[in-house]
Amino acid sequence: MVNQKLLAPSILSADFSNLSQQIRLVEVGGADIIHCDVMDGKFVPNITFGPMVISAIRKITNLPLDAHLMVENPDCIIDEFINAGVNYLTVHQEAVIHLHRTIDYIKSKGVKAGVSINPATPVHVLKEILEYVDLVLIMSVNPGFGGQKFIHSSLRKIKELSNLRDEMGYNFLIEVDGGITKENIKEVSEAGCNIFVVGWSIFGNDNKTAA
């Protein structure tokens, strides 16, 4: 499990006027997961979409849906996203007061539970929750907008998390989101990443399937 390498195109960078076609293009290209960035304009300085859009996406693809909740008080809306058909649901350590309770609730609904940390948040704050989560999402840009440059110090955090996973014998997947390109994906992989969230480097390309 910890040796898996999965590609998760982020629809944040897709053309929403033709989202169905955009998703089919990345499916043909070999995408493993569809990554859905949910933003509320409060926790991050942008507003994207909610469970209605994810429910619509669920009808047009059989790929797993990975919802990343960059919102305040995610506990209030978790059920809506679970009912929309997500397979992975990730909340931010910085936004949840009772993280163990939230993770346990998500898993009780048959959904894979993840926790994410921002670039300025150290890995060690997750130590007490790691044995309970299915994935950890390392933000390698400050969340809110697509197309940002990869923060190089994120590599150190990925390696630290990967080493901690090995030492403790945990099986969570490491996901990385932000600024991943064909130029740096190899070193991100070697640092220990399992799920690569890629937005602009795919959807900003004229040939999205080839990208």
Side-chain angles (χ1 to χ4, degrees), residues 88-119:
Y88 297 85
L89 191 58
T90 297
V91 297
H92 266 263
Q93 182 273 340
E94 300 92 348
V96 179
I97 297 174
H98 302 290
L99 187 54
H100 182 277
R101 180 189 299 164
T102 300
I103 294 297
D104 188 58
Y105 181 76
I106 294 170
K107 294 178 73 170
S108 75
K109 297 295 183 177
V111 174
K112 300 288 187 182
V115 61
S116 180
I117 54 173
N118 286 328

Coordinates of all heavy atoms in Angstrom, one line a residue, residues 88-119:
Y88 N -12.6 9.7 -0.7 CA -11.6 10.2 0.2 C -12.1 11.5 0.7 O -12.6 12.4 -0.1 CB -10.2 10.4 -0.4 CG -9.5 9.1 -0.9 CD1 -9.8 8.6 -2.2 CD2 -8.6 8.5 -0.1 CE1 -9.2 7.5 -2.6 CE2 -7.9 7.3 -0.6 CZ -8.2 6.9 -1.9 OH -7.6 5.7 -2.3
L89 N -12.0 11.8 2.0 CA -12.4 13.1 2.5 C -11.3 13.6 3.5 O -11.0 12.9 4.5 CB -13.7 13.0 3.3 CG -14.4 14.3 3.7 CD1 -14.7 15.2 2.4 CD2 -15.7 14.0 4.4
T90 N -10.7 14.7 3.1 CA -9.6 15.3 3.9 C -9.9 16.6 4.5 O -10.4 17.5 3.8 CB -8.3 15.4 3.0 OG1 -7.9 14.1 2.5 CG2 -7.2 16.0 3.7
V91 N -9.6 16.7 5.8 CA -9.8 18.0 6.5 C -8.5 18.5 6.9 O -7.5 17.8 7.0 CB -10.7 17.8 7.8 CG1 -12.1 17.3 7.3 CG2 -10.1 16.8 8.7
H92 N -8.4 19.8 7.3 CA -7.2 20.4 7.7 C -7.0 20.3 9.2 O -7.9 20.6 10.0 CB -7.1 21.9 7.3 CG -6.5 22.1 6.0 ND1 -5.1 22.5 5.9 CD2 -6.9 21.9 4.7 CE1 -4.8 22.5 4.6 NE2 -5.8 22.2 3.9
Q93 N -5.8 20.0 9.6 CA -5.5 20.0 11.0 C -5.7 21.4 11.6 O -6.2 21.5 12.8 CB -4.0 19.6 11.2 CG -3.5 19.5 12.6 CD -3.0 20.8 13.2 OE1 -2.6 21.7 12.4 NE2 -2.9 20.9 14.5
E94 N -5.4 22.4 10.9 CA -5.6 23.8 11.4 C -7.0 24.2 11.6 O -7.3 25.2 12.2 CB -4.9 24.8 10.4 CG -3.4 24.5 10.2 CD -3.1 23.6 9.0 OE1 -4.1 22.9 8.5 OE2 -1.9 23.5 8.6
A95 N -8.0 23.5 11.0 CA -9.4 23.9 11.0 C -10.3 23.0 11.9 O -11.4 23.4 12.1 CB -9.9 23.8 9.6
V96 N -9.7 22.0 12.5 CA -10.5 21.0 13.2 C -10.1 21.0 14.7 O -8.9 20.8 15.0 CB -10.5 19.6 12.7 CG1 -11.3 18.6 13.5 CG2 -10.9 19.6 11.2
I97 N -11.0 21.2 15.6 CA -10.7 21.3 17.0 C -10.5 19.9 17.6 O -9.5 19.5 18.3 CB -11.8 22.0 17.8 CG1 -11.8 23.5 17.4 CG2 -11.5 21.9 19.3 CD1 -13.0 24.3 18.0
H98 N -11.5 19.0 17.3 CA -11.4 17.6 17.8 C -11.1 16.6 16.6 O -12.0 16.0 16.1 CB -12.7 17.2 18.5 CG -13.1 18.2 19.6 ND1 -12.4 18.2 20.8 CD2 -14.0 19.1 19.7 CE1 -12.9 19.1 21.6 NE2 -13.9 19.7 21.0
L99 N -9.9 16.6 16.2 CA -9.5 15.9 15.0 C -9.7 14.4 15.1 O -10.2 13.8 14.1 CB -8.0 16.2 14.7 CG -7.4 15.7 13.4 CD1 -8.3 16.2 12.2 CD2 -6.0 16.1 13.2
H100 N -9.4 13.8 16.2 CA -9.7 12.3 16.3 C -11.1 12.0 16.1 O -11.5 11.1 15.4 CB -9.2 11.8 17.6 CG -9.4 10.3 17.8 ND1 -10.5 9.8 18.2 CD2 -8.5 9.3 17.6 CE1 -10.4 8.4 18.2 NE2 -9.2 8.1 17.9
R101 N -12.0 12.8 16.7 CA -13.5 12.6 16.5 C -13.9 12.7 15.1 O -14.7 11.9 14.6 CB -14.2 13.5 17.4 CG -15.8 13.4 17.3 CD -16.4 14.5 18.1 NE -16.1 14.6 19.5 CZ -16.3 15.6 20.3 NH1 -16.8 16.8 19.8 NH2 -15.9 15.6 21.5
T102 N -13.4 13.7 14.4 CA -13.7 14.0 13.0 C -13.3 12.8 12.1 O -14.0 12.3 11.3 CB -13.1 15.3 12.5 OG1 -13.6 16.4 13.3 CG2 -13.5 15.6 11.1
I103 N -12.0 12.4 12.3 CA -11.5 11.3 11.5 C -12.3 10.0 11.7 O -12.6 9.3 10.8 CB -10.0 11.1 11.8 CG1 -9.1 12.3 11.4 CG2 -9.5 9.8 11.2 CD1 -9.1 12.6 9.9
D104 N -12.6 9.8 13.0 CA -13.3 8.6 13.3 C -14.7 8.6 12.7 O -15.2 7.6 12.2 CB -13.4 8.4 14.8 CG -14.0 7.1 15.3 OD1 -13.5 6.1 14.9 OD2 -15.1 7.1 16.0
Y105 N -15.3 9.8 12.7 CA -16.7 9.9 12.1 C -16.6 9.6 10.6 O -17.5 8.9 10.0 CB -17.2 11.3 12.4 CG -18.6 11.4 11.8 CD1 -19.7 10.9 12.5 CD2 -18.9 12.1 10.6 CE1 -21.0 11.0 11.9 CE2 -20.1 12.2 10.1 CZ -21.2 11.7 10.7 OH -22.5 11.8 10.2
I106 N -15.7 10.2 9.9 CA -15.6 10.0 8.4 C -15.4 8.5 8.1 O -16.1 8.0 7.3 CB -14.4 10.8 7.9 CG1 -14.6 12.3 8.0 CG2 -14.1 10.4 6.4 CD1 -13.4 13.2 7.7
K107 N -14.5 7.8 8.9 CA -14.3 6.4 8.6 C -15.5 5.6 9.0 O -15.7 4.5 8.3 CB -13.1 6.0 9.4 CG -11.8 6.6 9.0 CD -10.6 6.2 9.8 CE -10.1 4.8 9.5 NZ -8.8 4.4 10.1
S108 N -16.3 6.0 9.9 CA -17.5 5.2 10.3 C -18.5 5.2 9.2 O -19.4 4.4 9.2 CB -18.1 5.8 11.6 OG -18.8 7.0 11.3
K109 N -18.4 6.2 8.3 CA -19.3 6.3 7.1 C -18.8 5.5 5.9 O -19.4 5.6 4.8 CB -19.5 7.7 6.8 CG -20.2 8.6 7.9 CD -21.6 8.1 8.1 CE -22.3 8.9 9.2 NZ -23.7 8.5 9.4
G110 N -17.7 4.8 6.1 CA -17.1 4.0 5.0 C -16.3 4.8 4.0 O -16.1 4.3 2.9
V111 N -15.9 6.0 4.4 CA -15.1 6.8 3.5 C -13.6 6.9 4.1 O -13.4 6.9 5.3 CB -15.7 8.2 3.5 CG1 -14.8 9.2 2.7 CG2 -17.1 8.2 2.8
K112 N -12.6 6.9 3.2 CA -11.3 7.1 3.6 C -11.0 8.5 4.2 O -11.5 9.5 3.6 CB -10.3 6.9 2.4 CG -10.4 5.5 1.8 CD -9.8 4.4 2.6 CE -9.8 3.1 1.9 NZ -9.3 2.0 2.7
A113 N -10.4 8.6 5.3 CA -10.2 9.8 6.0 C -8.8 10.3 5.9 O -7.8 9.6 6.2 CB -10.6 9.7 7.5
G114 N -8.7 11.6 5.6 CA -7.3 12.2 5.5 C -7.2 13.5 6.3 O -8.2 14.1 6.7
V115 N -6.0 13.8 6.6 CA -5.7 15.1 7.3 C -4.6 15.8 6.5 O -3.7 15.2 6.0 CB -5.2 14.9 8.8 CG1 -4.0 14.1 8.8 CG2 -5.1 16.2 9.5
S116 N -4.8 17.2 6.4 CA -3.9 18.0 5.6 C -3.2 19.0 6.5 O -3.8 19.5 7.5 CB -4.6 18.7 4.5 OG -3.7 19.5 3.7
I117 N -2.0 19.4 6.2 CA -1.3 20.5 6.8 C -0.8 21.5 5.8 O -0.4 21.2 4.7 CB -0.2 20.1 7.8 CG1 0.8 19.2 7.0 CG2 -0.7 19.4 9.0 CD1 2.1 18.8 7.9
N118 N -0.9 22.8 6.2 CA -0.4 23.9 5.4 C 1.2 23.9 5.4 O 1.8 23.3 6.2 CB -0.9 25.2 5.9 CG -2.4 25.4 5.5 OD1 -2.8 24.9 4.5 ND2 -3.1 26.1 6.4
P119 N 1.8 24.7 4.5 CA 3.3 24.7 4.4 C 4.0 25.1 5.7 O 5.1 24.6 6.0 CB 3.5 25.7 3.3 CG 2.3 25.6 2.4 CD 1.2 25.4 3.3

